[in-house]
Amino acid sequence: MNIRTVLTQPFSDQKPGTSGLRKQVPTFQTRNYLENFIQSIFDVLDNYQGKTLILGGDGRYYNRQAIQIILKMAAANGVGKVLVGQGGILSTPAASCVIRKNQAFGGIILSASHNPGGPDGDFGVKYNTENGGPAPEKVTSAIYERTKVIDQYKILDSEDVNLDQLGSLTMGEMTVEVIDSVADYAELMQTLFDFSKIKELVTSGHFKLCMDSLHAVTGPYAKRIFEEMLGAPAGTVTNGVPLEDFGGGHPDPNLVYAHDLVDTMFAPNAPDFGAASDGDGDRNMIVGNNFFVTPSDSLAVLAANATLVPGYKDGLAGIARSMPTSQAADRVAEKLGLDCYETPTGWKFFGNLLDVGKATLCGEESFGTGSNHVREKDGLWAVLFWLNILAERQQPVEAIVKEHWATYGQNYYSRHDYEGIETDKANTLMEQLRAKLPSLKGTQLGTYTVDYADDFSYTDPVDSSVSQKQGVRIGFTDGSRVVFRLSGTGTKGATLRVYLESYEPDTSKHGQDPQVALADFIKIADEVAQIQTLTGRDKPTVIT
Ligand code: G16
């Protein structure tokens, strides 16, 4: 066994974003780039020698090569055992599940989530800690600091592992176990949901389910769970084979990128229920027959109906949502007498709330929903949750959501993304906006009075850590809001996200096109932030 110490030089751009380090593939293929980042992770961790690490990814281009490198580096750094998903595949929620089940010290998940893949696409590395969740900021900051000074890494000279063959082997003194990517996750799902009731529904002959895996990681999970375990007809899962470039698509489950599913679900005689998931399986989009459910509404509906589902039959401890997510869930929490937490964007901010039992369900406007069953958002979990509710309530998706609005009021919601803006222009826009905030309170924008205008700052109620500058919020006295932030997950230029929300208690005004219902706020957003003037863009790239 030969452990080599390789001299290296730091890269200046290895600061993890909202969810790990994401870069274009050629950057990760640069000599020592991946190795530096992985060694920096090992360098900042304590007491992992001899213990278990979980490793897998979403199957995108460079996944297999990166796994071989990481295995050899793990062996050289004294890791005891690595559990790696077969074919290098582990969805993000499955990795979280496997970390927790095996009491691993952590996991390395290779994914750039919803970003496109392929030789010119994106790649990414996330580190998750022993609770199964994304590393908190204090860990990612330490990793980043380490990347700035790293001068060597360790790697074992060894043959590549056959990732397709289940079973155990040794690599130096380390054990490598290639595990079934789906089994532990599917088993966990069975403990939460009423599989026999869902099976009755999906095999009844009068309910059609359609799951689009977008050629990304959920294919094998969805086929095993929906088609094999729940008996849905073959073909229920479409685009179910993970491909290194996602078939050339953009594995982002929204109305723009999951267009095949949207076409199917908005056709005459559409299926009853459609869903899609993203590159690494943590996001979900829920669509009924000719009816789209916003992620914010989805969280609220799941919360309001949670006691119908076995895993949540005793009720919820609390609900948490990211700040830009609509306040629909807050209304459910209020009615149920639950605490509701508002966190910055990024699933890592839910970790403490879940760990200490303050929250049971969490959700984000960016198509992420999850619970305390793992420490990541979970796409197929959300689909099963919806199916369980549908099986209990025996109503169409649209009827359930409209009834929800009638009870709680409707939070009209939309997000406008301006992708690929020049970084300087985006920063100028945010700086100018921030400078205006102190003078906005009490003024009129359009016909609305500004109630508050600030840059969101979050103090974690568990460890008191403070995260500042998490998004500019302008709230109006009628409860409506406009929120601005720059994405932390893109790899090209900057993406400006504008989040728009208004509240409508009057049932007769429910169900309008959100772009129409929110038209005043769309105009206000452009005026106050000078979007068109400063970016040169007259419309968003993506509207969700
Ligand atoms: C990640 C984070 C999410 C976040 C999303 C969007 O999701 O885990 O919590 O909401 O990015 O972040 P941003 O607005 O900064 O682009 P994923 O699915 O990409 O891992």
Side-chain angles (χ1 to χ4, degrees):
M1 175 175 105
N2 181 30
I3 293 176
R4 274 188 301 131
T5 298
V6 181
L7 297 182
T8 185
Q9 291 192 328
F11 294 91
S12 59
D13 64 345
Q14 296 198 319
K15 186 175 183 357
T18 310
S19 181
L21 181 67
R22 287 187 194 168
K23 298 284 172 196
Q24 291 181 279
V25 167
T27 304
F28 266 105
Q29 289 171 321
T30 308
R31 195 167 160 266
N32 297 343
Y33 193 89
L34 173 70
E35 290 85 345
N36 274 18
F37 192 70
I38 298 298
Q39 186 64 52
S40 298
I41 296 174
F42 287 127
D43 286 351
V44 303
L45 298 179
D46 294 320
N47 300 323
Y48 64 82
Q49 273 79 11
K51 296 187 183 160
T52 301
L53 175 75
I54 309 306
L55 179 60
D58 63 12
R60 67 179 58 225
Y61 187 84
Y62 200 52
N63 192 49
R64 283 175 178 265
Q65 294 90 324
I67 285 180
Q68 301 294 352
I69 292 169
I70 296 168
L71 284 173
K72 291 168 196 172
M73 291 186 67
N77 279 279
V79 172
K81 184 176 183 182
V82 176
L83 302 184
V84 57
Q86 189 176 21
I89 293 283
L90 275 180
S91 77
T92 288
S96 185
C97 159
V98 176
I99 292 170
R100 294 167 69 78
K101 183 172 176 183
N102 292 281
Q103 290 158 346
F105 70 84
I108 295 177
I109 306 171
L110 305 173
S111 170
S113 189
H114 52 287
N115 297 11
D120 301 317
D122 287 349
F123 190 74
V125 180
K126 301 192 279 187
Y127 180 69
N128 282 30
T129 52
E130 63 187 341
N131 73 349
E137 275 190 333
K138 64 174 186 300
V139 177
T140 53
S141 304
I143 294 169
Y144 176 49
E145 290 308 314
R146 183 67 196 151
T147 65
K148 294 198 253 180
V149 294
I150 189 165
D151 57 3
Q152 59 179 49
Y153 64 84
K154 285 193 256 176
I155 190 159
L156 181 80
D157 281 331
S158 168
E159 294 288 304
D160 282 358
V161 168
N162 180 355
L163 294 173
D164 298 309
Q165 176 78 47
L166 291 178
S168 267
L169 49 100
T170 55
M171 186 182 242
E173 291 179 3
M174 185 178 85
T175 304
V176 178
E177 194 178 331
V178 179
I179 61 167
D180 181 321
S181 311
V182 180
D184 291 334
Y185 177 80
E187 191 181 283
L188 177 61
M189 293 301 112
Q190 281 178 291
T191 67
L192 299 171
F193 300 109
D194 188 339
F195 268 46
S196 50
K197 201 132 211 183
I198 300 174
K199 188 170 190 171
E200 256 174 55
L201 178 73
V202 301
T203 56
S204 63
H206 57 73
F207 180 89
K208 188 159 189 280
L209 158 69
C210 193
M211 170 74 212
D212 190 344
S213 285
L214 296 172
H215 284 304
V217 79
T218 56
Y221 294 84
K223 278 192 192 155
R224 178 96 55 95
I225 294 172
F226 298 129
E227 295 184 7
E228 292 174 29
M229 296 168 76
L230 292 169
T236 294
V237 179
T238 55
N239 300 320
V241 178
L243 298 176
E244 288 197 328
D245 65 350
F246 308 116
H250 197 134
D252 199 354
N254 62 38
L255 292 172
V256 176
Y257 294 126
H259 40 79
D260 288 351
L261 179 74
V262 172
D263 290 349
T264 305
M265 295 306 297
F266 283 85
N269 302 318
D272 301 277
F273 184 82
S277 192
D278 69 331
D280 62 333
D282 54 5
R283 297 186 175 203
N284 72 89
M285 176 170 78
I286 303 294
V287 199
N289 178 341
N290 282 271
F291 190 83
F292 168 64
V293 185
T294 70
S296 298
D297 277 347
S298 179
L299 172 66
V301 170
L302 298 191
N305 291 277
T307 52
L308 296 175
V309 173
Y312 309 91
K313 67 177 187 332
D314 297 331
L316 308 173
I319 307 173
R321 63 164 174 83
S322 68
M323 182 273 283
T325 302
S326 98
Q327 297 161 93
D330 305 33
R331 297 183 184 277
V332 177
E334 194 183 351
K335 186 153 187 201
L336 299 179
L338 301 172
D339 287 333
C340 188
Y341 299 88
E342 185 177 44
T343 61
T345 295
W347 204 262
K348 57 185 176 242
F349 293 104
F350 295 132
N352 281 346
L353 297 170
L354 293 166
D355 281 351
V356 302
K358 283 184 181 290
T360 310
L361 292 193
C362 305
E364 294 188 289
E365 49 66 37
S366 56
F367 297 83
T369 336
S371 86
N372 58 354
H373 68 290
V374 289
R375 292 294 181 273
E376 288 278 6
K377 56 188 184 274
D378 190 344
L380 294 183
W381 166 92
V383 176
L384 286 164
F385 206 129
W386 265 97
L387 288 173
N388 205 149
I389 292 171
L390 294 175
E392 288 291 342
R393 291 189 49 168
Q394 299 285 331
Q395 287 172 285
V397 171
E398 179 173 353
I400 290 176
V401 176
K402 288 196 166 155
E403 221 175 90
H404 185 93
W405 291 339
T407 309
Y408 297 94
Q410 182 180 3
N411 287 71
Y412 276 105
Y413 190 81
S414 184
R415 187 176 99 185
H416 288 196
D417 292 340
Y418 298 80
E419 295 175 343
I421 304 174
E422 284 167 48
T423 309
D424 288 352
K425 289 185 179 168
N427 288 336
T428 304
L429 184 147
M430 290 304 286
E431 275 157 29
Q432 292 191 5
L433 194 52
R434 284 194 176 100
K436 277 189 197 164
L437 294 178
S439 61
L440 284 180
K441 190 178 157 72
T443 60
Q444 292 277 123
L445 293 179
T447 54
Y448 302 87
T449 307
V450 176
D451 185 23
Y452 61 90
D454 63 10
D455 199 346
F456 182 58
S457 167
Y458 178 65
T459 304
D460 186 295
V462 179
D463 65 14
S464 301
S465 57
V466 178
S467 303
Q468 283 170 327
K469 292 180 110 172
Q470 296 295 323
V472 166
R473 322 186 278 185
I474 302 176
F476 300 93
T477 47
D478 68 345
S480 47
R481 299 192 300 172
V482 183
V483 174
F484 304 83
R485 59 181 283 283
L486 298 182
S487 160
T489 57
T491 58
K492 282 183 222 133
T495 295
L496 171 69
R497 302 205 195 283
V498 183
Y499 310 83
L500 307 139
E501 177 181 6
S502 72
Y503 179 63
E504 182 52 76
D506 180 350
T507 312
S508 71
K509 295 183 182 154
H510 290 169
Q512 299 172 55
D513 175 351
Q515 304 312 315
V516 175
L518 293 164
D520 288 351
F521 300 99
I522 294 169
K523 198 158 169 265
I524 288 172
D526 182 52
E527 281 167 10
V528 75
Q530 296 284 294
I531 300 171
Q532 190 165 344
T533 313
L534 292 173
T535 67
R537 301 288 179 85
D538 60 357
K539 59 175 184 312
T541 333
V542 177
I543 294 180
T544 50

